[in-house]
Amino acid sequence: MNLSRRRARTLKNAGAEAAQFRGRSALAFIGVMLALVGLAGWYFRLQVIQHADYATRSEANRIKLQPIVPGRGLIYDRKGRILADNVPAFRLDVTPSDAGDPATWLPRLAGIVAFAPEDLERFDDARRASRGFRPITLKMRVTEEEAARFAVDRWRFPGIELVSYLNRRYPYGELTAHVIGYVGRIDEKDAKSLGPGFDALTHIGKTGLERSYEDDLRGRIGYQQIETNVEGRAIRHVGQVPAQPGTDLRLSIDIDLQQAMVTAFGDMDGAAVAVDPRTGEVLAMVSLPSYDANLFVNGITHTHYKALTTNPSRPLFNRPVLGGGPPGSTVKPLIALAGVDSGLRTPESAVFSTGEFHIPGQRRGYRDAHGGAGWTDLRKSISQSVNFYYYKLAYDMGIVKFDAYMRRYGFGQKSGIDLLGENVGIVPSPEWKARRSKEPWYAGETVIAGIGQGYWVATVLQLVRGTAAIANGGTLHPLHLVASRRDGYNARWKPQPLAPGPRITDSPDHLRAVQEGMIATVHGGGTASMIGRGAPYLIAGKTGTAQKISRRGNVSSDPHALPYNLRHQALFVAYAPADDPRIAIAVSVEHGGYGASSAGPIARKVFDAWLLGQMPAPTEGVQRSPQGGAPLDYVEVTAPAGTGAVAGQGAASGVTAATSASPAVRDHAGTPITGTTAPRLPAPVAPPEARR
């Protein structure tokens, strides 16, 4: 009984098992269905919802975007001669992730292409700082022979490409280095400033106009679409977005006048700027010594860079823009104008120069270099450079009013030149001194400011701008280098918009008196009479000397007898023709001694080159600009038959008064210079008692 019951319990329940199977099957079916539904939903999401996204990614795997670097804008001089252009060249680019370890391929590649130590050093630095999938330039300016050898063995160097590009070239080298500047290879700092989207660029403007107009000259990067196979090889071009070339610039600079200015300096160092006083256009601007800008384009070698940086004459220093120093007597015409405009003087007011000025209540005297000049009015004070007149004028004016007028004439501010980093200089004032010293302002500092000494710092740009304002009737034009621009080779040149300049005086009579004083400086027996000899046109000028050492007692040191580094700075400002000004100039000769003997002759040679077409003869043994351009287009100077006149020769007395038989002088544009008869110089001013 018990056995039968035990057997009954061990028998299977078929119905229960079937029910259990059906339940499990249903559960499995539901799981499978849910999985199929989820998979279908996923496929729907991929194929429908995200179709556009994945189609774009797929197309990106098939289509590669290759950047097209635009041609950098060209720079021309005023006559259309190229000062900065682009020439075809090759470079080697390496993609580190594809090329592998340089230790394996670099020795083999060095047998095909020659590398300088600087090339390898820059490559190592860039490779450590960048991502492996971005190309890195190994060498710029691969020669055609090297390019041909590499093309043969290209298959041996995966990840290394020979890339064609346009290389910047400066045909005039040293002659335009401080104006045009140069482009250089983009470094990490440049890449950060540019931001994303400029990875294809290899060069950027570093100095000069190349830097100031970088955004315009650079252009806009384009792209071409290239279809590739599964191995990444190019099959065909399927489209492109063209690159937009950079803007071309036409300068007011004349390369012939630039060469004439450099030649006029000979072996002397310094700076000079010539402008058109009617517009503020810079006609020539030099800083000497200079350097070859082409050295920096693809990375300068350590040897060349050391030679430039250790040169005591500082060829890399842009003297007109970054330099400056005491203007000396070259500011006397403007200080004289301030005296009459302020009402402290009239053009005929005379002071008696004893040769030594004393501040009331003080024993110390401020001496005049040439001793007592007797009765001196405005015109004589300029032509004879009488310090006594300006000592007293500055003292009577006071430093506050003095500072205000000098700023009105453009000192202590930028000239408007379209170059970055311009030095604004220093106009002496109690506020300026208080920011740098705890000492009060002394009356003696006002006195020496009246002759352009003391705390003064003025640039040649500021000096030529003020001189041009005197020449043109009183308008202080902003200076500028870029005259016009065009966006595309076939586009028209568009003049560069310029803001109008302020007026420096409202009195034509006062300004005329200053002009007459400057004319007498050259043609009336003044301090610069030597440079006026033989000139068939009138010159208005002012000499200046910025002392580096003080006078000992009553003895004045001969600057030419001093050690070279202690010699005075020689300065000269002028404009010509004085009766129809077309060029104004400021010259600064470092360690030149006196302005009349060093800086003045440079200005005369520049005037002759611009107004007469007479290029100065190079100094024997001096070749400062071997890359100089085409010779100047000489302007014919003719004389009527029978006069026996010779171009460039004038009266032996040094005061050239043209008559009806004078040469027909023409300026740089071929326009006759009219009215070359010297105006009547002001009569000597009598002392007050004689005028009563």
Side-chain angles (χ1 to χ4, degrees):
M1 187 67 177
N2 293 333
L3 182 61
S4 61
R5 290 179 178 175
R6 191 179 299 114
R7 289 178 176 174
R9 285 196 297 268
T10 59
L11 294 176
K12 294 182 178 180
N13 189 339
E17 290 181 355
Q20 187 181 32
F21 176 77
R22 286 192 297 271
R24 291 178 178 177
S25 298
L27 186 62
F29 178 77
I30 292 172
V32 171
M33 292 302 295
L34 290 175
L36 290 174
V37 170
L39 185 61
W42 180 254
Y43 281 135
F44 180 80
R45 180 172 177 269
L46 292 177
Q47 297 292 333
V48 179
I49 298 176
Q50 294 184 324
H51 174 268
D53 183 29
Y54 284 100
T56 302
R57 294 189 186 184
S58 176
E59 188 71 11
N61 291 332
R62 184 178 69 90
I63 303 297
K64 300 294 184 182
L65 293 180
Q66 187 177 71
I68 304 174
V69 179
R72 193 170 179 86
L74 305 182
I75 302 178
Y76 301 84
D77 84 333
R78 67 188 297 117
K79 291 183 177 178
R81 290 166 291 194
I82 294 181
L83 307 181
D85 68 348
N86 307 309
V87 294
F90 294 100
R91 70 173 188 264
L92 277 179
D93 282 359
V94 178
T95 304
S97 59
D98 297 334
D101 186 3
T104 61
W105 53 262
L106 188 56
R108 291 184 285 116
L109 185 60
I112 300 174
V113 179
F115 297 108
E118 290 84 0
D119 295 330
L120 303 179
E121 181 180 339
R122 277 191 291 264
F123 174 73
D124 287 338
D125 293 340
R127 186 169 58 90
R128 286 191 293 266
S130 65
R131 300 176 182 179
F133 60 86
R134 289 185 175 178
I136 300 172
T137 298
L138 176 58
K139 180 180 180 179
M140 306 291 293
R141 292 306 298 267
V142 176
T143 66
E144 293 185 3
E145 182 180 350
E146 290 173 336
R149 289 201 302 262
F150 177 80
V152 173
D153 292 332
R154 163 69 184 82
W155 60 274
R156 298 171 54 197
F157 301 99
I160 303 178
E161 297 291 340
L162 188 66
V163 181
S164 61
Y165 72 104
L166 291 175
N167 187 67
R168 199 64 157 172
R169 182 174 69 101
Y170 304 104
Y172 295 92
E174 295 182 15
L175 201 57
T176 58
H178 290 290
V179 175
I180 305 298
Y182 59 84
V183 298
R185 296 172 65 171
I186 292 178
D187 54 26
E188 186 176 352
K189 182 180 178 181
D190 296 327
K192 289 182 179 179
S193 65
L194 287 172
F198 295 95
D199 296 338
L201 295 178
T202 58
H203 291 73
I204 191 173
K206 297 286 188 177
T207 63
L209 291 172
E210 293 278 26
R211 181 184 175 191
S212 300
Y213 288 87
E214 168 62 27
D215 292 343
D216 298 313
L217 292 168
R218 182 194 306 141
R220 191 169 297 173
I221 298 175
Y223 296 92
Q224 59 181 347
Q225 297 172 310
I226 301 175
E227 184 178 3
T228 61
N229 58 18
V230 293
E231 296 178 351
R233 295 182 180 273
I235 299 176
R236 62 189 177 95
H237 294 274
V238 295
Q240 78 172 33
V241 176
Q244 181 178 328
T247 299
D248 294 336
L249 303 178
R250 173 171 282 177
L251 309 186
S252 55
I253 290 284
D254 185 282
I255 200 63
D256 295 326
L257 190 67
Q258 190 88 353
Q259 179 65 70
M261 187 176 283
V262 170
T263 304
F265 266 86
D267 60 354
M268 295 184 292
D269 297 340
V273 179
V275 305
D276 187 334
R278 300 167 295 184
T279 60
E281 291 181 340
V282 178
L283 304 175
M285 185 177 86
V286 302
S287 175
L288 297 172
S290 187
Y291 62 94
D292 186 355
N294 292 292
L295 294 173
F296 287 87
V297 174
N298 294 309
I300 189 170
T301 64
H302 292 307
T303 303
H304 284 131
Y305 188 69
K306 183 178 180 180
L308 291 174
T309 54
T310 57
N311 187 332
S313 293
R314 301 181 298 169
L316 295 177
F317 186 65
N318 193 333
R319 289 163 168 80
V321 178
L322 306 176
S329 297
T330 56
V331 292
K332 286 179 179 177
L334 291 168
I335 295 174
L337 181 62
V340 291
D341 276 352
S342 65
L344 294 172
R345 301 284 190 275
T346 67
E348 289 73 28
S349 298
V351 297
F352 190 81
S353 169
T354 62
E356 185 171 339
F357 174 77
H358 289 268
I359 297 174
Q362 292 187 11
R363 297 182 58 185
R364 177 184 177 182
Y366 299 86
R367 297 184 180 89
D368 210 315
H370 307 292
W375 289 106
T376 303
D377 68 349
L378 181 147
R379 297 173 178 84
K380 181 180 177 180
S381 74
I382 294 175
S383 65
Q384 301 297 326
S385 198
V386 181
N387 285 349
F388 186 96
Y389 183 93
Y390 295 95
Y391 288 145
K392 181 170 176 52
L393 176 57
Y395 179 77
D396 293 344
M397 187 179 299
I399 194 60
V400 174
K401 186 177 292 185
F402 182 92
D403 174 76
Y405 271 99
M406 293 305 104
R407 293 185 184 278
R408 182 178 180 180
Y409 301 149
F411 297 101
Q413 57 189 267
K414 293 184 178 182
S415 67
I417 195 77
D418 33 356
L419 294 173
L420 301 180
E422 182 183 359
N423 180 19
V424 298
I426 298 171
V427 178
S429 70
E431 292 76 18
W432 177 87
K433 186 179 180 182
R435 291 194 297 267
R436 291 159 179 81
S437 172
K438 294 182 180 179
E439 299 239 346
W441 184 266
Y442 299 106
E445 293 169 332
T446 302
V447 171
I448 61 174
I451 61 168
Q453 299 285 354
Y455 297 123
W456 263 105
V457 174
T459 67
V460 291
L461 290 171
Q462 293 168 339
L463 290 174
V464 75
R465 188 183 182 205
T467 304
I470 294 175
N472 66 32
T475 301
L476 196 66
H477 289 300
L479 304 185
H480 59 281
L481 290 161
V482 176
S484 57
R485 52 187 292 164
R486 67 179 180 188
D487 299 312
Y489 182 77
N490 294 322
R492 290 186 177 182
W493 289 98
K494 298 178 182 178
Q496 190 82 336
L498 298 171
R503 298 281 301 172
I504 63 171
T505 182
D506 295 324
S507 174
D509 292 336
H510 292 170
L511 191 62
R512 181 57 186 164
V514 171
Q515 293 170 343
E516 290 172 353
M518 294 180 69
I519 294 172
T521 300
V522 180
H523 299 288
T527 57
S529 59
M530 179 179 64
I531 73 163
R533 295 173 183 171
Y537 52 86
L538 287 175
I539 302 172
K542 183 69 193 79
T543 57
T545 303
Q547 298 179 7
K548 286 202 166 187
I549 62 172
S550 300
R551 183 183 297 125
R552 294 183 178 180
N554 294 325
V555 180
S556 179
S557 301
D558 179 5
H560 296 293
L562 294 170
Y564 182 77
N565 64 318
L566 296 180
R567 293 181 185 178
H568 306 332
Q569 302 292 97
L571 302 160
F572 188 71
V573 297
Y575 62 89
D579 47 355
D580 183 20
R582 302 183 186 183
I583 182 173
I585 193 171
V587 181
S588 172
V589 180
E590 295 183 0
H591 319 297
Y594 291 119
S597 58
S598 298
I602 294 174
R604 169 63 190 275
K605 292 175 182 178
V606 173
F607 287 164
D608 284 350
W610 185 249
L611 298 174
L612 306 179
Q614 297 176 356
M615 289 288 282
T619 304
E620 185 176 355
V622 177
Q623 184 68 23
R624 303 197 84 147
S625 300
Q627 299 89 355
L632 180 69
D633 296 329
Y634 285 94
V635 180
E636 184 177 1
V637 181
T638 59
T643 61
V646 180
Q649 295 182 354
S653 64
V655 180
T656 305
T659 64
S660 59
S662 299
V665 182
R666 298 178 181 271
D667 71 358
H668 196 71
T671 305
I673 301 176
T674 59
T676 54
T677 302
R680 185 167 34 189
L681 298 174
V685 179
E689 57 270 21
R691 296 201 302 268
R692 290 189 184 131

